[in-house]
Amino acid sequence: CETLVDQLVAAGSLTVDEVWQRVRRLLENKRVGAARVAAAYLPASEGFDSRGLESIAQKPSRYLSKLPSGFATKRGGREVLLFAVQRHARSDPQDAAKRFARIESRFTAEEQAYAWAHIALHAALNHQPEASAWFEKAAGTTLSEDQMTWRVRAALRDGNWTVVQRAIAAMPPELAAQPDWVYWMGRALAASGHAEVARAYYLKIAGQPHFYGNLAIEELGRAVEVPVRAVAPSPEELAAASANPAFTRALALFRLDLRIEGVREWVWSLRGMNDRALLAAAEFARGNEVWDRAINTADRTQTQHNYSLRFIAPFSDQVLPKADELELDNGWVYGLMRQESRFVMKANSSAGAKGLMQLMPRTARWVAKKINMKNFRASKVTDMDINVTLGTNYMKMVLDSLDNHPVLASAAYNAGPSRARKWRADHELEGAIYAETIPFSETRDYVKKVMSNAVYYNTLFEGRPQSLKQTLGVVRARGQGENGVEKLP
């Protein structure tokens, strides 16, 4: 966007403060070179010296230990110091807070709030109890989206529903309207005695097929259930799907292991299809054992649904006996497998995870050794039976080591057991709050989807409504229920 900035400056439409905003955002993202370019639009009177920014980015604590004299006389010097504070807060928010508190009187009110916003964010990401108090100090600056959402999460960890309500109310309307924050606003209103207003919030998302929609419907006193199954595709509808040349091309590409190309071909062909055509296409995919396309296609329907296609359960003859032998919840096993691979047997992640249950090579070798699997070879990890055997055994080991709690075990499966343990609190947390406050966005999304998947699978397996809240349960305080087994990979 440099060209646009040049034009705005030439037209006199960019104020000095707006240039500073741009410099700040670039420095927040460690784009020192781009920040230096942007700072060229500042008048010399601002006193910004960009020399040494790379060094500050790498070792901010060293800069904070040897502050240049007179750094606070001009805004440029103060902004360099703020850069050092926000960089240091990433690795040590406690120390950044101590150092900044000693000198904050030399900054404007807005600059103080800006620094505390960054310190508070990283304290919240590290589940430090001071985060909420530090967010209060940030009231004089515009918070980023990350800062706004982590202000809510810090308050959830504290059980402070008043701050939860206030923090969500301060969000821009489009952010506050996301299902996450609609649900938590409802909870905050209910906690403050505004039951009818809370009910109106729950009704906005209740029944939507996701984590928050399921939680909201339970707050309204109903269990999670699947919609009435649509009438099965007619022979004519199935014939139309079978005759679709794009589907034929996609299947040919899948057989050649050209999965990316096949998926593109398939998705392109779905444009403009109504629910009946989508259900027929999903059934066609299931008939050809292209399980991920069956799920993806069935997920697109708007009013007519077939949740046995959305939550398809292939390989049940092999998977369910292994789950039952290990006393694992069948819905949880399938919910995790669906999220890991969409049942693509040859799935490979960029990190090296393989197969239906996306096992890392090191984990596969470790589990194979623990269960005395004979003649295990890494090349066999994508074999369906071997992958499921190793994956379910690893699920069992993780579950046993983490208080037999599926939320903790799901987090551990994705991010590692040590992190799942670290993210526990010193007090009990609702399972939903533990999931909401996972600091890795990928793992946070993963756990929510796995647990929601599990409820839908069990609804289908057992033929009756289920409770997501009951499945999420309560995560006990850190250290409780950990059985002391050797460290898992």
Side-chain angles (χ1 to χ4, degrees):
C1 56
E2 280 79 5
T3 301
L4 176 60
V5 173
D6 288 340
Q7 292 174 352
L8 289 169
V9 170
S13 301
L14 206 62
T15 66
V16 170
D17 192 57
E18 287 168 337
V19 174
W20 273 121
Q21 289 178 36
R22 178 166 172 76
V23 172
R24 279 184 178 181
R25 297 298 171 259
L26 292 167
L27 289 176
E28 287 166 14
N29 289 283
K30 206 178 174 181
R31 295 185 59 198
V32 173
R36 190 178 286 113
V37 171
Y41 296 115
L42 294 168
S45 59
E46 293 294 292
F48 182 70
D49 185 354
S50 64
R51 291 174 297 178
L53 289 178
E54 289 86 353
S55 176
I56 294 171
Q58 296 300 320
K59 296 182 178 179
S61 62
R62 185 169 63 182
Y63 180 82
L64 292 170
S65 297
K66 297 180 180 180
L67 294 177
S69 60
F71 76 89
T73 57
K74 293 186 177 181
R75 181 168 181 176
R78 299 194 301 273
E79 291 289 343
V80 171
L81 190 284
L82 292 175
F83 173 51
V85 169
Q86 59 102 342
R87 291 304 305 175
H88 188 40
R90 292 169 184 264
S91 58
D92 193 342
Q94 295 281 349
D95 190 58
K98 289 178 183 177
R99 291 172 184 252
F100 186 68
R102 291 197 290 262
I103 57 173
E104 69 174 313
S105 61
R106 303 168 74 176
F107 292 79
T108 68
E110 189 281 331
E111 290 164 351
Q112 292 176 29
Y114 175 81
W116 286 115
H118 282 278
I119 294 168
L121 170 63
H122 294 288
L125 286 164
N126 285 281
H127 299 149
Q128 294 175 351
E130 299 88 350
S132 287
W134 290 340
F135 271 122
E136 292 300 316
K137 289 175 170 283
T141 193
T142 301
L143 300 182
S144 69
E145 184 171 312
D146 270 354
Q147 290 164 345
M148 286 186 279
T149 56
W150 275 100
R151 182 186 177 201
V152 177
R153 293 184 180 114
L156 286 171
R157 296 275 295 198
D158 295 342
N160 191 329
W161 293 104
T162 300
V163 173
V164 169
Q165 182 178 342
R166 190 166 71 241
I168 296 173
M171 290 177 171
E174 63 275 11
L175 179 59
Q178 291 180 5
D180 327 35
W181 314 120
V182 170
Y183 172 74
W184 291 117
M185 177 61 100
R187 288 288 306 278
L189 289 163
S192 62
H194 298 89
E196 285 306 309
V197 185
R199 178 180 172 82
Y201 271 85
Y202 298 142
L203 285 169
K204 292 178 182 181
I205 58 172
Q208 293 178 12
H210 51 61
F211 186 80
Y212 302 102
N214 291 336
L215 287 174
I217 206 165
E218 290 196 54
E219 295 296 338
L220 294 170
R222 305 198 299 273
V224 179
E225 54 188 341
V226 299
V228 175
R229 184 169 175 170
V231 175
S234 67
E236 292 77 17
E237 289 169 330
L238 290 173
S242 299
N244 187 315
F247 292 161
T248 303
R249 289 192 296 271
L251 291 180
L253 290 165
F254 292 141
R255 286 193 292 270
L256 293 169
D257 285 336
L258 297 172
R259 171 150 292 276
I260 293 174
E261 294 80 359
V263 167
R264 287 172 179 165
E265 187 73 44
W266 186 280
V267 171
W268 183 258
S269 70
L270 299 179
R271 293 171 306 126
M273 284 189 177
N274 61 26
D275 284 357
R276 298 303 305 169
L278 289 169
L279 289 171
E283 192 61 60
F284 176 71
R286 172 160 63 177
N288 284 277
E289 299 186 354
V290 188
W291 314 114
D292 64 316
R293 292 305 92 204
I295 294 169
N296 169 272
T297 307
D299 269 347
R300 293 169 175 257
T301 58
Q302 299 297 311
T303 59
Q304 299 188 53
H305 308 297
N306 182 349
Y307 271 51
S308 67
L309 287 169
R310 288 193 182 200
F311 296 92
I312 204 164
F315 319 120
S316 58
D317 289 347
Q318 294 93 343
V319 175
L320 296 181
K322 295 182 190 301
D324 291 341
E325 180 183 351
L326 295 167
E327 299 182 330
L328 293 174
D329 179 82
N330 290 336
W332 181 48
V333 172
Y334 264 101
L336 186 143
M337 196 182 303
R338 181 186 191 268
Q339 189 60 29
E340 287 287 350
S341 67
R342 290 294 196 271
F343 308 108
V344 177
M345 284 192 285
K346 294 183 179 180
N348 289 292
S349 77
S350 58
K354 297 180 182 296
L356 291 173
M357 303 195 73
Q358 288 292 275
L359 292 166
M360 294 295 289
R362 176 170 170 263
T363 302
R365 287 193 300 272
W366 186 87
V367 176
K369 182 178 179 180
K370 294 298 293 182
I371 65 174
N372 296 315
M373 179 178 281
K374 305 299 182 184
N375 301 317
F376 170 75
R377 298 193 305 277
S379 61
K380 292 290 187 181
V381 76
T382 55
D383 175 87
M384 192 271 292
D385 187 69
I386 290 175
N387 193 274
V388 172
T389 298
L390 295 174
T392 52
N393 272 277
Y394 186 58
M395 289 179 75
K396 176 65 172 175
M397 293 171 186
V398 170
L399 189 67
D400 286 348
S401 75
L402 289 167
D403 204 14
N404 202 39
H405 203 298
V407 174
L408 290 171
S410 298
Y413 198 97
N414 181 263
S418 62
R419 291 192 178 105
R421 291 189 184 95
K422 178 184 177 183
W423 297 333
R424 299 175 82 165
D426 292 329
H427 54 274
E428 287 188 347
L429 287 176
E430 285 183 37
I433 291 176
Y434 175 92
E436 183 62 65
T437 58
I438 290 171
F440 293 0
S441 56
E442 177 192 329
T443 305
R444 186 168 62 248
D445 181 65
Y446 173 91
V447 170
K448 292 174 186 177
K449 286 179 177 174
V450 167
M451 300 311 299
S452 188
N453 290 348
V455 169
Y456 280 125
Y457 272 113
N458 278 331
T459 299
L460 292 167
F461 289 159
E462 299 178 21
R464 59 183 178 84
Q466 302 284 315
S467 169
L468 176 58
K469 288 195 74 171
Q470 183 178 332
T471 302
L472 294 171
V474 172
V475 175
R476 293 196 292 169
R478 185 180 290 113
Q480 295 185 16
E482 296 178 9
N483 65 13
V485 299
E486 66 180 278
K487 187 176 181 181
L488 296 170

